[in-house]
Amino acid sequence: MKKRNEEEETKGIIGTSKRCYHSTEEGKARIPWILWFLWKARNEKVFSNKDISPLEVLQSAVSETTSWCVAQISPDAPKVNESSMIPEPQYIPPRRPFCRIDASWKEDDARYRGGFVIENEDGSTMFGSIASNRVLSPLHAEFATLLWAMKSSLSLGHVSMAFESDCLQLVRLIEEEEEWPTRNEKVFSNKDISPLEVLQSAVSETTSWCVAQISPDAPEVNESSMILEPQYIPPRRPFCRIDASWKEDDARYGGGFVMENEDGSTMFGSIASNRVLSPLHAEFATLLWAMKSSLSLGHVSMAFESDCLQLVRLIEEEEEWPSLMAEFDEFLNLRSMF
């Protein structure tokens, strides 16, 4: 019964949203918000083990889309007499490229998390996430995530970017150019910290840092038998995993990558392009795009991984595929740059 009510409510939301948008372009405006709240729901699941239903995600996306549309109403628009017909609010899409950021911070957590969603001028989307040592407050986490997103945008070759955040405190801090001491809880939270607490925090962080610097190459010895325990060998960073989606009756194919950098931060990228001849062509095209993206990020060394055995054999054994000659030549050219 509950499930049926949710389905009916979902239909009601979808129906309402359809009445609010009367063109394809305006309807597309909801897509970034849906993706954004799906990403936030994913973060809640990963970081807090909290399940968010699809209905809640859709409700949040529709609500934010409506709020965003209202916020884009130009203040210079002529006033309309209340007795006359009131024009519907006109939605002004955000200028591309733009980047939305968000951060996650908990008082009892040793680390904070952050992420961004970049929409490029050509409509392609990139995702990135980072986890780092704990900072003093949620505002610190939001600011650190913004700085990381700005660095990532520059490394991607963007010299113009609109950044968006749901942290009003951060927006006011930047726009009003207030002077906020970097480590001043009194200013951020009106909280007094004693010198003893400051010293204890410094000692704790120093100890954690020293433990983190212990070399993983040092073998552990079993005191009873003096036999070396198996040594864990972590994957070599940076590395990039790719995958593609292809359907015979689809006019486009999709591809994506997950890249883990040397510092442990993660970046996501996705692309959609015109249909190619086969799934192997889609996998190869996605690999070439991931290689170009890696080079644009400044990587001169990268390990690429794919679940397409046919693609791996094609590259390792350098088999001749007449229909892939152009792609293979481009691959050899890109590989020479690493």
Side-chain angles (χ1 to χ4, degrees):
M1 186 69 178
K2 182 179 179 181
K3 182 178 180 181
R4 182 178 178 183
N5 291 336
E6 287 186 354
E7 290 178 351
E8 292 177 354
E9 190 171 351
T10 304
K11 291 179 181 178
I13 293 173
I14 295 174
T16 302
S17 62
K18 285 182 177 178
R19 288 192 295 270
C20 293
Y21 299 94
H22 300 286
S23 71
T24 304
E25 291 299 323
E26 291 174 340
K28 287 180 179 178
R30 290 172 294 175
I31 296 177
W33 290 104
I34 294 174
L35 293 174
W36 178 248
F37 280 97
L38 284 172
W39 177 257
K40 295 188 72 171
R42 174 259 182 199
N43 286 344
E44 286 289 342
K45 180 63 177 177
V46 173
F47 299 137
S48 307
N49 196 26
K50 179 181 177 182
D51 293 316
I52 299 180
S53 68
L55 177 60
E56 290 178 294
V57 172
L58 183 59
Q59 286 175 331
S60 300
V62 171
S63 175
E64 287 295 329
T65 304
T66 304
S67 300
W68 180 260
C69 292
V70 174
Q72 303 313 303
I73 299 174
S74 174
D76 300 329
K79 295 183 178 180
V80 181
N81 192 336
E82 294 182 358
S83 60
S84 61
M85 183 179 297
I86 301 175
E88 294 184 0
Q90 183 180 2
Y91 171 71
I92 302 176
R95 180 173 57 89
R96 290 175 178 164
F98 62 86
C99 176
R100 295 188 174 104
I101 67 164
D102 198 13
S104 173
W105 182 93
K106 288 185 177 181
E107 190 172 359
D108 56 349
D109 201 339
R111 300 174 72 83
Y112 80 91
R113 281 87 176 174
F116 69 74
V117 179
I118 292 178
E119 186 165 330
N120 300 311
E121 294 177 350
D122 60 359
S124 60
T125 307
M126 295 194 76
F127 304 86
S129 63
I130 189 174
S132 189
N133 293 334
R134 181 179 182 272
V135 288
L136 291 179
S137 69
L139 180 58
H140 281 87
E142 293 281 351
F143 214 152
T145 302
L146 172 62
L147 296 176
W148 168 69
M150 293 174 73
K151 294 176 183 176
S152 300
S153 300
L154 289 172
S155 66
L156 287 167
H158 292 292
V159 293
S160 176
M161 180 68 70
F163 292 91
E164 300 178 358
S165 172
D166 60 355
C167 179
L168 183 59
Q169 198 174 14
L170 175 63
V171 175
R172 287 177 176 171
L173 167 64
I174 295 173
E175 290 183 347
E176 299 174 9
E177 296 185 357
E178 299 178 7
E179 296 182 358
W180 290 65
T182 308
R183 298 183 179 274
N184 197 332
E185 278 286 339
K186 179 66 176 178
V187 176
F188 289 132
S189 308
N190 196 25
K191 179 181 178 183
D192 294 316
I193 300 179
S194 67
L196 177 60
E197 288 179 297
V198 173
L199 181 60
Q200 289 175 335
S201 299
V203 171
S204 175
E205 287 294 331
T206 304
T207 304
S208 300
W209 176 259
C210 292
V211 172
Q213 305 313 305
I214 297 176
S215 175
D217 300 329
E220 297 183 3
V221 181
N222 190 327
E223 296 180 358
S224 59
S225 59
M226 298 299 292
I227 299 176
L228 295 179
E229 295 184 358
Q231 185 178 355
Y232 170 70
I233 302 176
R236 180 170 62 89
R237 291 171 176 164
F239 61 86
C240 178
R241 297 187 175 101
I242 67 164
D243 198 10
S245 173
W246 182 93
K247 289 184 178 181
E248 189 173 0
D249 56 349
D250 202 339
R252 301 176 73 83
Y253 79 91
F257 70 75
V258 179
M259 186 184 300
E260 187 163 332
N261 300 312
E262 294 177 349
D263 59 359
S265 60
T266 306
M267 293 195 73
F268 304 86
S270 62
I271 189 174
S273 188
N274 294 333
R275 183 178 181 272
V276 288
L277 292 177
S278 68
L280 180 58
H281 282 80
E283 293 281 350
F284 211 154
T286 302
L287 172 61
L288 296 177
W289 169 69
M291 294 174 73
K292 294 175 185 177
S293 299
S294 300
L295 290 171
S296 68
L297 287 168
H299 292 292
V300 293
S301 176
M302 179 67 69
F304 292 93
E305 299 178 0
S306 171
D307 60 355
C308 179
L309 184 59
Q310 196 175 15
L311 175 62
V312 175
R313 287 177 176 172
L314 169 66
I315 294 173
E316 291 184 347
E317 301 174 7
E318 296 188 356
E319 298 178 3
E320 292 186 0
W321 282 63
S323 63
L324 287 169
M325 290 300 296
E327 288 85 351
F328 203 82
D329 289 342
E330 186 177 2
F331 167 76
L332 294 177
N333 181 42
L334 290 171
R335 188 171 65 176
S336 65
M337 299 180 186
F338 286 93

